[in-house]
Amino acid sequence: MISDHIFNEDGSFFYPSVDPTLHEEGIEDGYHQGVQGDTILVNGAPFPFLELSNTRYRFRLLNASNRRIYKLALDPPPPERAAFIQIGSDAGLLPAPVPQTELIIAPAERFDVVIDFSHYAIGTQVVLKNLDGNHTTSQVMRFDVVRSQPDDSAIPDRLLPDEEALNPAQAEVTRRVILSRSGKRFRINGKEFAPNRVEFRPCLNSTEIWEVFADIPHPFHMHLAHFQVLSRNNQNPASTDVGWKDTVRVGPREMVRIIARFTPYRGKFIYHCHMLEHEDLGMMDNFEVV
């Protein structure tokens, strides 16, 4: 679990809310875009390290930051090999492993990856870097390869039976979702969140395409329905867009097309930006499966 925080002198977390009791909404000027910390924590620990053997390790990565998007890489990278073998996404295993040199992970996204430390000599220190950070936010954690150990593990060529790919030709509806900032507030399709308003009403077991636009970076998150990414700006999806997802990073001035099946429950659910200040300041809506 990767997160970033600002610490007060007494070791407590600093958060620039207008009302320290959090009974009233509001954040100090200068933070409306979202709060980013100057210290990265892994599972709650700042600047951690892990001693390990020269074998394969599986990690489940979660970006639990308010706003920060990470670009993860290994330093030094393994020789002539991908740093990460991605085997899972938000909603579980992928059909097959996908080699990744870098991982761009937005708030609420999850990746399952395997790192093979057998390509490093005993005594090597391998740093998990954040290539989009600087100074104290450029290093996530350190792996110390300290011992040799037999490893009979293997990554299968197939992780699941053939994945069901949702067919865009079978989508009953195509909807447009525009994520935008307006001053110190955030809106979806020009509207701020209203608890009792329902924007979309998909039918139970129906398939829909949603075209999600963003003015600045927003991780789009949908409750209930897992989805598949069809394209980015009418081009191929990113390499990390594989599998079933519930959160997808939408870059500045980018349009991401996703396809979802609304099952297995009727009822009211929400979709929103997962940058916490953005959703708190209006970037959330309801849909109701009927």
Side-chain angles (χ1 to χ4, degrees), residues 69-73 102-105 129-133:
I69 298 172
Y70 298 87
K71 183 185 285 188
L72 303 177
E102 300 171 353
L103 293 172
I104 300 177
I105 182 168
K129 302 283 288 185
N130 172 29
L131 299 183
D132 280 348

Side-chain angles (χ1 to χ4, degrees), residues 37-101:
D38 56 11
T39 303
I40 294 179
L41 284 70
V42 176
N43 293 347
F47 311 113
F49 68 92
L50 175 66
E51 293 184 347
L52 38 72
S53 60
N54 61 343
T55 54
R56 293 185 181 90
Y57 283 76
R58 176 178 175 177
F59 298 91
R60 175 72 162 163
L61 305 177
L62 160 67
N63 183 349
S65 300
N66 284 27
R67 174 195 167 194
R68 187 180 297 277
I69 298 172
Y70 298 87
K71 183 185 285 188
L72 303 177
L74 296 182
D75 182 22
E80 300 180 359
R81 291 172 175 83
F84 313 99
I85 303 299
Q86 185 182 354
I87 60 171
S89 60
D90 302 337
L93 288 173
L94 305 180
V98 179
Q100 306 282 6
T101 301

Side-chain angles (χ1 to χ4, degrees), residues 107 233 250-252 276:
N233 285 337
V250 187
L276 298 191

Side-chain angles (χ1 to χ4, degrees), residues 12 15 21 67 78 86 110 154 175 183-184 193-194 205 250 256:
S12 60
Y15 190 81
T21 69
R67 174 195 167 194
Q86 185 182 354
R110 287 90 72 201
R175 304 189 191 273
K184 297 180 180 180
F193 180 60
N205 297 322
V250 187
V256 175

